[in-house]
Amino acid sequence: MLKPQLSLRSQFSSTSSTQTSSFLLHKPFLHGNGNRFTSLPIFSMQNSFHKKNKNVRIAFVPGNIKAVATSSTEKPTSVKAIVTVKLTVGGFLSDVLVLNKDDIIDWLGKTLLLELVSAQLDPKTGLEKETIKGYAQQTSHDEGEVKFVSDFEVPSDFGEVGAIFVENERSKEMYLKDITLNGFPNGPVNFTCDSWVHSKDDYPYKRVFFANKSYLPSETPKGLKRLREEELITLRGNGEGERKTYERVYDYDVYNDLGDPDSSDDLKRPVLGGKEHPYPRRCRTGRPSSDKDPLSEKRSSNVYIPRDESFSEVKQLTFSVKALSSVLHALLPSLEAAIVDSELGFPYFTAIDSLFNEGVDLPTPKKAKNKVSLLNILPRLVKAITDAQDDVLRFETPETMDRDKFFWFRDEEFARQTLAGLNPYSIRLVTEWPLKSKLDQKIYGPQESAITTEMIEREIKGFCSVEEAISQKKLYILDYHDLLLPFVSKVREIKGTTLYGSRTLFFLTPEGTLRPLAIELTRPPFNGKPQWREVFTPCWDATGVWMWRLAKAHVLAHDSGYHQLVSHWLRTHCCTEPYIIATNRQLSAIHPIYRLLLPHFRYTMEINALAREALINAGGIIESSFSPGKYSMEFSSVAYDQQWQFNLEALPADLVNRGLAVEDPTAPHGLKLTIEDYPFANDGLLLWDTIKEWVSDYVNYYYPNAMTIESDQELQEWWTEIRTVGHGDKKDESWWPVLNTSKDLIQIITTIIWVTSGHHAAVNFGQYTYAGYFPNRPTIARTNMPSEEPSDEFWTKFLRKPEGALLQCFPSKIQATKVMAVLDVLSDHSPDEEYLGKAIEPAWAETPYINAAFERFNGRLKKLEGIIDERNANRDLKNRSGAGIMPYELLKPFSEPGVTGKGVPYSISI
């Protein structure tokens, strides 16, 4: 089969060397509604190119490609364009051994048509200059990349090349990495593309790529002004129709695609976004409405995201999104087939240990050409057993458990993890006493907490009174009472789960550690029964000790749900998507702020789309395995409505708001922590300051005064759209920052970058380390407390074997293993992870000042690594150092691949 193809290829090569072909005329640039702008000067010029330019010669010789546009007066510059195309799965050259139209195009040297665009207007006509066209011919095929070359003769009066049009002549899209123009006297002109270029068969309009030099709108060279504006129109689209996979349209929609009412009435979910359920906006797909619910969007297996937001085919096969997709679509169905009884729990703690020793046998799909063993997809999770017919899901032992098998059992670890664990965002200072609810007491019962002064003073006897503890900032709380209580009655109607509102109090000891004092669990009036609530404290009798352990399990389930749905999903993934949409709609690709933000937005929309498809959807992992159940996303909407403020997403403001810091101009970072040994805050503030210094250097270079900020129309429209559309349900809030000065912009950009890097890393990459052994962080509590209206039989069983009651309260076997598998992948760094400040963006490197600022940024991040190591070695810092204690490394900037519990990527990439 290969020989005829090879011989045919050589025939094409020999014949094409003697043929010539005229270039195709330039097709008009795309407007948002798809109309042609034939009336614009540039298009009329191109249609009369040969008539008006008698001294210009354009020729094409396939064997030696050269585009020529010469002037009769001065010698032109010979320029070589080098185009780098990345090989992709199912994309360019995937079918190179099959003779088809694309092979013929390649052999003729017509794979890519390039057009050089001058940044200057014609001084005589005041119109845009003619583009210089040329086909690029393949010259090399290295591992993972293909190089194309085209030669141009550029007239001396052509001016600076500011953009390039690219047309893909093949029938399949290709991933264009970059283009370099060599031969100009002032050095090469670089174009960083990193973009999918559609086939002209799909979309008959050429792509435009701008050179790496950045411009504010007012500074845009006149030859690029129209292209800058029209490219933004293209990216905004017209808000109509269902989006196609090859499109790059960024638009907004509400979360109306989480439910699936067409499959089942039980899978119908309310729309998130709007007055009833405020929420950030997501990317519009344009899918039709479902048949049974006109407010819901039909679900489909492929969720549209703008084409350049999907990079998984370009990145290595170990890329985390691909791994997560494999877990959701291959591993979890196998688990469900292996564990038929969804309510089956763990009879003994040794059965939990067996997940790390023997593992779970998974039925392997029947061998077929399109079936791949799970072992090949997820080698870390799925182990091979010699001669076994099935794959085995065997979990790695989390480092926390490896250091101390009973870490999860200890009260001091329960408290320490509020400062240095997965969710360091919930602990708050107690400022008022007694504790009171803000909920309607007619519906939910008494507002005043059942935790009394006497209870607390009994626990802290010898230290101080409650009044002194509050005045000295020694009393702290995890308060999920008001957020959860409205959901308790609804969640309790779901089979196999329960819920309470909860308050947990801690005391700051003289050693700087937290000591748990009391847990209050509350059930509102329910099914004709009055409110039930009880306070549990550390005890010195057997029954009280086990009741305390069960109460901790409930609180941990509440904290796990809040962590995943609010601290993680809502505050990072969900709230960032409107920033991404607005940035692409309102900031040109040559805007310096666009280029500053770009690495912090990579891959986020792809992972968010996958989450909507299989994680946060009706019946997905979150709903089936976390405390709020089918009301999980409604719960996150309530948290967004009641708690989220953009200005408080800045780390210093968040700490002050929670009472964990007070402003102090004389202190480092301008803050004094109320808990001095607060690992997340201490490391986070260093990282925050490092990011802010880099952003300040960058912003001040491009915006030397307030006038440049106020007059930047793209920037102002960007900030307006984020506030009024992307987060439109909060558009009238008074806390939104204004954007009038460089100081305003620096704070806004630093906040966005912190959320996508430091905040996300702190709540994501330690998930398997801390929750891989699920008794440490159960995601759901399945049974009520034994003291809540127990039957004689239940109470007798509890007294006879309290360990069984705890195991029964924990997640079921299928719930636990599903969550563990997902957390393993979410915590994993792929080998090609892009860490904050490690590698400079090409566009940044071209400006010496920005390049030097980035080098300082990189140096400060490396210094931060050393500071964190020193802190973890300091025995006086007991919240991050001690016997069996995990060092706090979640904000160490860099990491090796794998589940490491450290490393801060640029973006929310998983």
Side-chain angles (χ1 to χ4, degrees):
M1 290 296 293
L2 292 178
K3 288 183 179 179
Q5 293 175 16
L6 291 172
S7 107
L8 187 56
R9 180 186 294 270
S10 78
Q11 285 179 357
F12 275 106
S13 300
S14 60
T15 56
S16 63
S17 62
T18 59
Q19 294 176 339
T20 61
S21 174
S22 61
F23 288 114
L24 299 176
L25 292 176
H26 173 66
K27 292 179 182 176
F29 195 63
L30 176 67
H31 188 280
N33 60 12
N35 295 330
R36 295 173 179 244
F37 283 146
T38 52
S39 61
L40 291 176
I42 186 170
F43 298 122
S44 60
M45 282 197 312
Q46 288 166 344
N47 289 335
S48 58
F49 184 77
H50 293 289
K51 295 179 181 178
K52 295 193 329 181
N53 294 275
K54 296 181 179 179
N55 294 325
V56 175
R57 175 175 57 87
I58 297 183
F60 170 56
V61 183
N64 184 23
I65 299 176
K66 182 169 290 189
V68 184
T70 63
S71 168
S72 59
T73 57
E74 294 187 44
K75 184 179 180 182
T77 301
S78 297
V79 174
K80 184 181 294 292
I82 302 173
V83 184
T84 304
V85 173
K86 278 200 169 187
L87 296 180
T88 60
V89 179
F92 178 68
L93 291 186
S94 61
D95 57 353
V96 72
L97 295 181
V98 181
L99 182 62
N100 56 28
K101 172 193 137 184
D102 288 345
D103 291 320
I104 298 172
I105 290 173
D106 291 341
W107 293 334
L108 289 174
K110 292 188 175 183
T111 302
L112 286 172
L113 174 62
L114 307 180
E115 297 183 39
L116 307 188
V117 179
S118 174
Q120 285 79 45
L121 297 177
D122 188 317
K124 296 180 181 179
T125 64
L127 302 176
E128 294 172 357
K129 295 181 179 180
E130 295 283 357
T131 60
I132 304 175
K133 304 178 179 69
Y135 281 102
Q137 186 177 41
Q138 182 179 334
T139 59
S140 65
H141 181 180
D142 298 326
E143 183 178 352
E145 292 183 347
V146 179
K147 298 285 187 182
F148 291 81
V149 170
S150 180
D151 292 321
F152 294 90
E153 294 294 326
V154 180
S156 59
D157 59 354
F158 188 73
E160 180 183 355
V161 177
I164 293 181
F165 281 113
V166 178
E167 184 173 75
N168 174 12
E169 307 293 320
R170 291 173 58 89
S171 62
K172 290 188 177 182
E173 65 179 359
M174 62 176 65
Y175 188 80
L176 198 59
K177 181 181 177 183
D178 55 47
I179 302 172
T180 300
L181 302 181
N182 291 319
F184 289 109
N186 296 327
V189 179
N190 299 306
F191 299 77
T192 302
C193 305
D194 284 329
S195 178
W196 295 95
V197 178
H198 57 269
S199 165
K200 72 172 185 179
D201 295 343
D202 291 330
Y203 200 54
Y205 299 100
K206 298 172 184 175
R207 282 292 306 279
V208 62
F209 293 102
F210 295 99
N212 285 355
K213 188 174 181 180
S214 298
Y215 299 98
L216 297 179
S218 61
E219 299 169 348
T220 309
K222 293 181 179 179
L224 304 179
K225 199 170 184 62
R226 180 187 62 84
L227 295 184
R228 179 174 187 149
E229 294 169 356
E230 293 303 324
E231 174 71 347
L232 287 174
I233 292 173
T234 299
L235 292 170
R236 291 172 195 149
N238 59 10
E240 299 177 1
E242 184 171 358
R243 299 267 64 93
K244 306 296 190 298
T245 56
Y246 57 78
E247 291 182 322
R248 299 180 303 124
V249 174
Y250 294 79
D251 204 356
Y252 300 95
D253 207 344
V254 293
Y255 279 75
N256 62 352
D257 64 340
L258 301 180
D260 190 7
D262 290 345
S263 296
S264 169
D265 290 340
D266 191 52
L267 295 178
K268 181 179 178 180
R269 295 293 181 268
V271 173
L272 302 185
K275 187 175 182 180
E276 188 173 355
H277 298 289
Y279 218 56
R281 299 303 188 259
R282 50 107 173 163
C283 183
R284 178 185 177 276
T285 66
R287 290 178 290 185
S289 298
S290 68
D291 298 328
K292 293 185 178 180
D293 179 18
L295 297 178
S296 297
E297 189 174 87
K298 271 187 180 293
R299 291 182 61 80
S300 58
S301 57
N302 294 316
V303 181
Y304 166 82
I305 56 173
R307 190 64 187 100
D308 285 346
E309 301 298 329
S310 178
F311 290 82
S312 57
E313 293 183 49
V314 178
K315 295 174 73 68
Q316 298 181 19
L317 294 178
T318 52
F319 181 43
S320 302
V321 170
K322 182 175 286 292
L324 179 58
S325 181
S326 299
V327 165
L328 296 174
H329 297 116
L331 180 58
L332 297 192
S334 295
L335 260 177
E336 290 171 346
I339 305 173
V340 179
D341 185 355
S342 62
E343 297 182 26
L344 179 66
F346 293 88
Y348 309 102
F349 277 93
T350 51
I352 300 175
D353 295 343
S354 70
L355 296 175
F356 308 100
N357 301 324
E358 291 83 25
V360 180
D361 289 338
L362 301 176
T364 303
K366 292 181 180 180
K367 300 299 180 183
K369 291 182 180 180
N370 62 339
K371 300 289 185 181
V372 180
S373 170
L374 290 170
L375 175 63
N376 297 328
I377 302 172
L378 302 161
R380 174 184 154 86
L381 276 173
V382 182
K383 313 297 181 181
I385 303 296
T386 306
D387 299 327
Q389 296 298 313
D390 294 343
D391 289 329
V392 176
L393 177 66
R394 188 192 302 152
F395 293 95
E396 299 281 349
T397 302
E399 189 176 349
T400 44
M401 189 185 178
D402 193 46
R403 285 171 175 258
D404 179 358
K405 186 174 182 180
F406 302 104
F407 80 106
W408 66 278
F409 215 53
R410 295 187 283 108
D411 283 354
E412 59 269 30
E413 182 66 7
F414 168 63
R416 189 189 74 86
Q417 287 183 30
T418 65
L419 302 174
L422 272 191
N423 185 30
Y425 273 100
S426 284
I427 189 82
R428 303 181 73 90
L429 178 70
V430 175
T431 56
E432 296 180 355
W433 192 266
L435 302 172
K436 285 187 178 180
S437 168
K438 295 180 181 178
L439 298 175
D440 187 345
Q441 61 182 352
K442 294 179 182 179
I443 300 174
Y444 299 104
Q447 293 179 320
E448 189 168 312
S449 170
I451 301 175
T452 65
T453 300
E454 292 74 24
M455 289 177 181
I456 299 306
E457 290 187 344
R458 184 172 65 243
E459 295 298 320
I460 60 175
K461 187 177 181 180
F463 286 105
C464 57
S465 66
V466 168
E467 185 179 347
E468 290 169 335
I470 292 175
S471 66
Q472 295 171 21
K473 296 183 170 56
K474 291 185 179 295
L475 211 55
Y476 295 84
I477 188 170
L478 283 182
D479 191 351
Y480 298 126
H481 183 276
D482 284 13
L483 272 178
L484 287 174
L485 209 59
F487 291 93
V488 170
S489 298
K490 295 188 289 187
V491 168
R492 286 191 171 209
E493 294 176 359
I494 303 172
K495 184 181 178 182
T497 188
T498 191
L499 190 64
Y500 295 98
S502 68
R503 297 182 177 103
T504 307
L505 277 178
F506 301 88
F507 178 70
L508 180 62
T509 69
E511 289 77 24
T513 58
L514 289 178
R515 174 183 164 187
L517 301 177
I519 293 173
E520 178 184 19
L521 299 178
T522 303
R523 183 207 69 196
F526 176 66
N527 284 346
K529 300 175 183 178
Q531 183 198 66
W532 178 92
R533 59 181 180 171
E534 188 171 342
V535 179
F536 305 89
T537 58
C539 289
W540 302 101
D541 68 278
T543 301
V545 165
W546 277 102
M547 294 292 281
W548 171 250
R549 288 169 181 163
L550 281 160
K552 282 199 302 180
H554 282 274
V555 169
L556 286 166
H558 302 164
D559 193 61
S560 293
Y562 185 90
H563 159 258
Q564 204 64 263
L565 289 162
V566 181
S567 299
H568 185 196
W569 162 256
L570 174 68
R571 291 180 63 179
T572 65
H573 289 261
C574 183
C575 286
T576 294
E577 187 149 336
Y579 309 151
I580 302 172
I581 299 171
T583 299
N584 283 277
R585 286 169 56 86
Q586 299 298 341
L587 298 182
S588 166
I590 53 175
H591 196 293
I593 300 303
Y594 174 92
R595 284 180 164 153
L596 174 60
L597 289 172
L598 182 61
H600 300 285
F601 293 157
R602 289 190 183 122
Y603 324 125
T604 302
M605 289 183 75
E606 181 174 28
I607 193 68
N608 286 4
L610 182 57
R612 301 206 316 272
E613 180 187 350
L615 278 173
I616 62 172
N617 61 303
I621 292 295
I622 298 295
E623 285 197 0
S624 64
S625 304
F626 283 77
S627 281
K630 65 186 289 186
Y631 304 99
S632 291
M633 295 307 291
E634 281 187 62
F635 172 73
S636 73
S637 170
V638 171
Y640 176 72
D641 182 34
Q642 295 182 7
Q643 297 182 345
W644 189 85
Q645 295 184 198
F646 180 87
N647 60 320
L648 297 183
E649 293 305 288
L651 178 60
D654 169 75
L655 294 171
V656 171
N657 179 59
R658 290 190 285 121
L660 272 296
V662 293
E663 294 182 0
D664 182 354
T666 65
H669 323 291
L671 296 177
K672 182 178 180 181
L673 296 179
T674 55
I675 300 177
E676 293 183 8
D677 182 14
Y678 185 1
F680 162 71
N682 280 304
D683 296 356
L685 287 170
L686 278 175
L687 182 57
W688 168 272
D689 283 354
T690 301
I691 293 170
K692 191 168 186 178
E693 287 182 56
W694 154 242
V695 173
S696 298
D697 287 342
Y698 191 99
V699 167
N700 288 330
Y701 176 79
Y702 287 102
Y703 296 95
N705 54 63
M707 186 178 297
T708 52
I709 296 280
E710 294 172 353
S711 63
D712 187 336
Q713 185 176 356
E714 286 185 8
L715 189 70
Q716 294 296 333
E717 289 295 327
W718 167 78
W719 184 234
T720 298
E721 189 167 284
I722 285 174
R723 292 182 291 110
T724 62
V725 184
H727 286 276
D729 296 334
K730 289 180 173 280
K731 63 183 178 182
D732 298 322
E733 299 287 353
S734 60
W735 42 254
W736 281 106
V738 296
L739 180 51
N740 296 328
T741 67
S742 58
K743 183 179 179 181
D744 299 334
L745 181 58
I746 289 166
Q747 183 71 5
I748 290 169
I749 297 296
T750 303
T751 300
I752 291 174
I753 291 176
W754 162 256
V755 167
T756 62
S757 56
H759 180 152
H760 181 260
V763 299
N764 182 74
F765 290 105
Q767 290 194 86
Y768 191 76
T769 301
Y770 282 103
Y773 185 70
F774 71 85
N776 182 57
R777 289 189 67 79
T779 57
I780 196 169
R782 297 192 294 153
T783 58
N784 295 339
M785 290 294 294
S787 55
E788 184 192 338
E789 303 167 358
S791 65
D792 292 340
E793 180 183 3
F794 183 84
W795 186 255
T796 301
K797 285 183 177 180
F798 166 66
L799 293 178
R800 184 174 181 273
K801 193 172 183 180
E803 175 188 331
L806 184 58
L807 287 165
Q808 192 177 355
C809 184
F810 281 160
S812 67
K813 191 171 184 179
I814 188 65
Q815 288 171 329
T817 50
K818 276 184 173 183
V819 171
M820 289 167 67
V822 171
L823 295 187
D824 183 278
V825 176
L826 291 179
S827 304
D828 187 63
H829 288 295
S830 63
D832 48 357
E833 189 77 88
E834 297 172 13
Y835 294 102
L836 181 70
K838 189 170 186 179
I840 192 169
E841 292 288 296
W844 302 345
E846 297 207 3
T847 304
Y849 179 88
I850 301 299
N851 185 68
F854 181 84
E855 289 300 317
R856 294 193 296 273
F857 180 44
N858 175 267
R860 288 191 291 264
L861 290 170
K862 290 177 179 177
K863 184 179 179 181
L864 174 57
E865 292 231 314
I867 293 172
I868 292 175
D869 287 339
E870 290 174 5
R871 288 174 172 175
N872 287 327
N874 187 342
R875 294 186 181 182
D876 293 332
L877 301 178
K878 293 180 172 59
N879 289 320
R880 63 193 307 156
S881 176
I885 295 294
M886 275 290 298
Y888 191 76
E889 297 185 316
L890 289 172
L891 293 176
K892 285 189 74 172
F894 311 119
S895 173
E896 59 274 12
V899 178
T900 63
K902 59 184 176 182
V904 181
Y906 271 109
S907 66
I908 303 165
S909 57
I910 188 61

